[in-house]
Each structure stands twice: as structure tokens, then as C-alpha cells.
Amino acid sequence: MYQREPSQATSTTNLGHFIGGQMVNRSTRTLSIEDPATAKTIGIVELADSSTVDEAVNVAQQTFPEWRYTPPAKRARVMFKFKQLLEDNADEICNLITQEHGKTLEDARGELQRGIEVVEYACGIPELLKGEHTPSVGTNIDSWSQFQPLGVAAGITPFNFPAMVPMWMYPIALACGNTFVLKPSELDPSASMFCAWLLQDSGLPDGAFNIVNGDREAVDALLANPTVQSVSFVGSTPVAEHVYVTGTKNGKRVQALGGAKNHAIVMPDADIDQAANATLGAAYGSCGERCMAISVAICVGEQTATDFIGHLKQGLSKLRVDSGSSPSSDMGPLISHRHLTRVRDYIDVGIEEGAELVVDGRDLVVSGHENGHFLGPCLFDHVTPAMRIYQEEIFGPVLCIVRAQTQEEAMKIVDEHPYGNGTCIFTRDGEAAHFFAENIKIGMVGINVPLPVPAAVHSFGGWKRSLFGDLAAYGPDAVRFYTRRKTITERWPAGGVREQARFSFPS
């Protein structure tokens, strides 16, 4: 098991920032870190001001030349070592995730594994950075392209995946030769801090990877700093739009992944039991705090809705809500009291709007964790597209049932929603599935797969107001996002041959 000196421990106690290969304390503002299952303070995190952010960026910039000119094969070896250390320390990382976020340990293990898969992809960087070469594009003229790093890249990540989403960014950015400054969520920062130490032990130079903990002040400082060349963001759509507009205005390359309202369409021919079980996990896993969570199910036909809701209610009656560290728990608490209040307010709004709350989890009390941020699963029926609980992202354990009469009507409902992150269809009909996949206006599509999160060799990104920018996260798009293409045309005239000036455009 990986060990640290006590002064460098990354357990949740008192976190500063990670700059130049060491923990530093620079900030007077702090925030308490809570265990969502108990609401008890388990640590303190410093909140960076603009001077701390600038310090981290300057250190990253100073390290950039050394890391940029490190051969890609050597960068890959760092990623291989990092992958091994992540696997060796998986239990400790997952415990940190569960302790600060609240999700179950099983869910944390799944999150970490998906992050490790992106690190695996980054291990192939010598192949991924190969450019094109064309000899003799003209007489004695060769041409080729190569992909060069940008410089200092920044990442701003949300609370819901404290290990995985940062790994969507920095492994590929580093493998491409950039240096990196990460601003993780201030609600659960310890997993990222632990990974920073693992990167150091993997052979990464001091200063190539830095962490500034903080809130909006740190975000705006990263967006304003002229040395930062690119910004990757995952979070809510209003903040994603702010990051994109501000970052691009300041001359940065930006990819900003926003919110979602992911729909599942349940066709009359679907295996209803299988569809319900899949939807239960996709809607209520991680307490619904996933950007790919199914939050709306559109049932095609009244009988389909009746059968589907019956299966959901049966499954929800068996769902076990407890602390994330409990081995019997299916669903843990929400991240904070503030977020719990927000989700409960949406439930009240849904009732006021006329939706039928067929499963009400508001009175749930978890024995031994009475002060925790727990909310039982909630299920609304007869939801319409005009309702706020349909239009807005709730980000909690709330599933809305919408009824439609045809597949075309169901798809029209999906297409007209302003978000376009993920969707799926449950059906046995290949023609219906093909038509859905080809024509739905959503970025990530599942066929009998409720959480169609692309594998690391592809890229993650939605459409419409779910993604601001031209390139998606991880996979091939990330390699292009974190590099600039340079095309070189070279000529060595034959000895003794001199040419006259030519004033026509070369061809």
C-alpha cells in the first residue's frame, strides 16, 4: 500500500494547495468539508485567491519547457506508472470519494475505474501524436504536420465525480506535453490531492501538475490569467456558458460541458422488467447526481406506462438507502444540505404543477445518520414538458414519467428539450432502434443501454446547451483539444541550382 509522510498526508484534515510538487498554504479563506452521511465537519479546505492561482500558473509555465521537450515515450512511461499507482491505491482513493461525496463504495470504484481507462488511453500518446508526412508535394519539397502542446492547461471540475472527471482532463493534457492547473470542487477535493502525490511518485516533474482549491474567485482568476492557454470545464449549464464566453473572450481554447436532462424512451415491445431495472440504476445511482443520469422516462402507450411504473415501484420498494460506506447501501446521501434543500424544493414545485408523486422519499430517515443529507427515491407520473421539473436539471433521485402515443412523438419531446447530453431507447425492434439512433438530436445515444458513457477510446460530449465548444472530453477530441497542429513545408534545392524570383502564387 502506498504510504506518505504524516506531513504530506492527504486524508481529509486540512487541505491547502498543491503547487510545485508540494502542499502549500496560501489562503486565509477556508471552507468546511462535510461527511454528507452525518453532516459532521471532517476537514477544512483553503479557498485560493487570485494571487495563489497566479502562483500556480507561473510554476506550471516555468515547468512547461522541460516537460514539453520530454519525449512522448517517456511521458507515456509516467502515465503507465500513474495507472499502476492508482490501481495499487484504489481502496484509499475510493474511501476518500465516499467520505466526502457520499456515494457508495461500489459506485466510487466504478468511477475510479472509468478514470483509469482514460489514463490507459493516455499511455498510447506516442501513437496518438503521430502526424502526417507527404514526400514530394512539389519538386524537392516535402510537407508534414505535427501536434504541439499548448502550454498551461486548466481544468475546473464538479463535485459529483471527484476522481473521474479530473482524469478526463489532466492525463491526456499532460501526455500531450502541457502542464496543468486543476481547480477541483471545494466540496470533495481530497481524491484529486491524493492523485497529485501519485503523479509525483510516477516521475512527473515538480510543477507540471498543480491544484488550487477554491470557489468562483479561483475560477475567474484562471479565466483571466493570460498564461492559461486552454480551459476544460464540467458543471451546470449557466456556469459552463460563463466559462466559455469569458474564456474565449480572453483568447483561450475552451471546452465547457454543461447540464443535462437525459431521456429514456420505453417502447411497447421492450422487456419492461429489464428496462425498469436498468432505469432504476441509471436514475437513482449516485443519488441521481450524474450528468448522464436518466431523469425522464417517456413511455410510449398507456399500457407501457402502467407496466413500467409498476415495475419501478416494486424495485424502489427494495432500494436500500444508507451511508455510502455501508456494504448494503444502493444509494447514499446528497452532497450537502444546500443541495438537499434544492432538490426538495423541486419536488414541491412538481406537486404544485400538477404532477403525481407516486413514490415520495421526502420522509426517509436513515437510522444512525439522522442528520445526514438523505432523500429517498422520488417518482413523478403525468409530467408534461411545460413543467419546471421537466425543463430544469434537478440533479437528485427524482425520475419523471412522461407519456406519449408514438415513437415519433416521444422523439419530438426529446429533441425539443434545450439539453442534448444523453438519451436511450428500450426496444426489441431493430428498425425502431436504428431510426432513433440516426435521427435523435442528442450527442450520446444508448440502445438498451441507459448510461451510454463512451469508452475512453471515444469522446464524451453532448449537443445543444450541454456542450459549449467544438471538441468533446477525453478520447481523440481531447488529443486535438490539448495540441495545436503545425504544418511544415521543407525544401532543399539541389546543389548549384539557382532560380529566378517567381511572383505568381506557388502551386
Side-chain angles (χ1 to χ4, degrees):
M1 176 57 67
Y2 176 78
Q3 297 293 330
R4 277 267 163 220
E5 293 299 321
S7 62
Q8 297 176 337
T10 53
S11 59
T12 305
T13 51
N14 191 343
L15 292 180
H17 314 283
F18 190 84
I19 300 174
Q22 60 184 337
M23 184 86 76
V24 299
N25 299 98
R26 296 285 189 270
S27 308
T28 56
R29 291 191 307 131
T30 62
L31 179 74
S32 296
I33 303 173
E34 287 188 350
D35 177 350
T38 64
K40 292 181 179 178
T41 296
I42 56 176
I44 301 294
V45 61
E46 294 187 6
L47 303 178
D49 57 18
S50 59
S51 64
T52 303
V53 171
D54 291 346
E55 178 187 355
V57 172
N58 289 339
V59 169
Q61 178 62 24
Q62 292 166 12
T63 312
F64 173 60
E66 172 192 354
W67 183 240
R68 172 190 177 176
Y69 290 112
T70 300
K74 290 187 177 181
R75 294 188 224 136
R77 291 183 195 121
V78 172
M79 290 297 115
F80 274 111
K81 180 64 174 177
F82 182 49
K83 172 183 176 293
Q84 184 62 57
L85 290 177
L86 287 170
E87 293 170 342
D88 291 346
N89 293 275
D91 288 345
E92 190 162 359
I93 297 169
C94 292
N95 284 332
L96 287 172
I97 294 170
T98 294
Q99 185 180 31
E100 294 182 353
H101 176 274
K103 66 176 62 178
T104 66
L105 282 169
E106 182 181 7
D107 194 24
R109 292 186 190 101
E111 168 188 346
L112 180 60
Q113 180 55 41
R114 292 304 294 263
I116 289 173
E117 289 169 9
V118 179
V119 178
E120 289 176 336
Y121 183 76
C123 289
I125 201 64
E127 175 69 22
L128 298 172
L129 287 180
K130 286 167 63 176
E132 303 90 9
H133 182 270
T134 304
S136 300
V137 293
T139 303
N140 297 323
I141 298 175
D142 299 335
S143 185
W144 70 90
S145 65
Q146 59 190 46
F147 298 97
Q148 296 185 342
L150 306 177
V152 178
I156 303 164
T157 56
F159 70 80
N160 59 329
F161 288 100
M164 182 186 75
V165 171
M167 288 185 201
W168 285 3
M169 302 174 186
Y170 66 79
I172 297 178
L174 291 170
C176 288
N178 302 279
T179 52
F180 203 89
V181 178
L182 174 67
K183 205 298 289 182
S185 171
E186 63 275 23
L187 299 178
D188 47 10
S190 292
S192 289
M193 192 68 76
F194 192 91
C195 291
W197 288 118
L198 296 184
L199 275 169
Q200 291 302 113
D201 282 2
S202 301
L204 192 72
D206 291 348
F209 180 72
N210 307 273
I211 294 176
V212 288
N213 290 304
D215 50 14
R216 177 163 181 165
E217 183 174 348
V219 171
D220 287 341
L222 286 169
L223 295 176
N225 190 297
T227 302
V228 174
Q229 299 298 301
S230 70
V231 176
S232 301
F233 172 86
V234 176
S236 68
T237 285
V239 182
E241 188 167 22
H242 166 74
V243 168
Y244 181 76
V245 171
T246 306
T248 54
K249 181 180 178 180
N250 290 334
K252 305 182 191 311
R253 184 178 293 188
V254 181
Q255 55 178 190
L257 282 69
K261 198 73 176 180
N262 305 308
H263 299 70
I265 294 179
V266 185
M267 297 294 289
D269 70 318
D271 182 327
I272 296 298
D273 184 55
Q274 179 178 330
N277 286 337
T279 302
L280 284 168
Y284 300 102
S286 199
C287 212
E289 294 173 323
R290 294 171 176 162
C291 64
M292 287 294 284
I294 293 296
S295 52
V296 178
I298 304 178
C299 297
V300 177
E302 295 300 320
Q303 189 61 50
T304 304
T306 299
D307 294 345
F308 187 65
I309 292 170
H311 279 76
L312 288 176
K313 291 172 66 176
Q314 184 179 6
L316 290 175
S317 68
K318 302 174 184 177
L319 191 148
R320 299 162 297 184
V321 182
D322 203 342
S323 165
S325 60
S326 170
S328 63
S329 179
D330 296 314
M331 189 176 83
L334 289 160
I335 184 69
S336 67
H337 178 73
R338 178 182 179 183
H339 190 53
L340 172 63
T341 301
R342 177 180 181 273
V343 176
R344 290 179 67 96
D345 287 347
Y346 270 113
I347 297 168
D348 294 340
V349 166
I351 295 171
E352 293 170 4
E353 289 180 319
E356 179 186 354
L357 186 60
V358 296
V359 176
D360 186 352
R362 291 176 295 174
D363 295 330
L364 174 75
V365 176
V366 177
S367 178
H369 299 280
E370 288 80 6
N371 295 321
H373 311 312
F374 288 95
L375 177 67
C378 297
L379 177 65
F380 276 109
D381 190 16
H382 299 291
V383 175
T384 68
M387 296 178 178
R388 275 187 62 198
I389 59 169
Y390 172 82
Q391 286 291 330
E392 299 176 13
E393 183 177 35
I394 298 174
F395 220 59
V398 182
L399 176 63
C400 298
I401 303 296
V402 175
R403 299 175 181 234
Q405 298 307 308
T406 65
Q407 178 180 353
E408 289 75 13
E409 179 188 353
M411 290 175 61
K412 185 173 185 291
I413 292 171
V414 176
D415 286 343
E416 289 179 348
H417 198 282
Y419 292 136
N421 206 46
T423 187
C424 73
I425 189 170
F426 293 104
T427 182
R428 292 186 176 98
D429 187 333
E431 182 179 0
H434 180 76
F435 180 80
F436 176 79
E438 286 293 308
N439 293 283
I440 201 74
K441 296 180 177 66
I442 304 294
M444 293 172 284
V445 178
I447 308 298
N448 298 315
V449 175
L451 294 173
V453 179
V457 296
H458 295 281
S459 295
F460 181 106
W463 288 7
K464 297 183 280 189
R465 290 185 60 79
S466 291
L467 173 64
F468 298 87
D470 299 320
L471 293 169
Y474 67 79
D477 271 16
V479 177
R480 296 297 170 257
F481 180 78
Y482 290 117
T483 58
R484 289 190 181 97
R485 180 192 295 266
K486 177 179 286 185
T487 303
I488 301 164
T489 304
E490 179 182 74
R491 179 188 184 197
W492 296 102
V497 176
R498 302 189 64 83
E499 293 186 357
Q500 300 298 318
R502 298 173 62 183
F503 299 98
S504 60
F505 193 79
S507 62

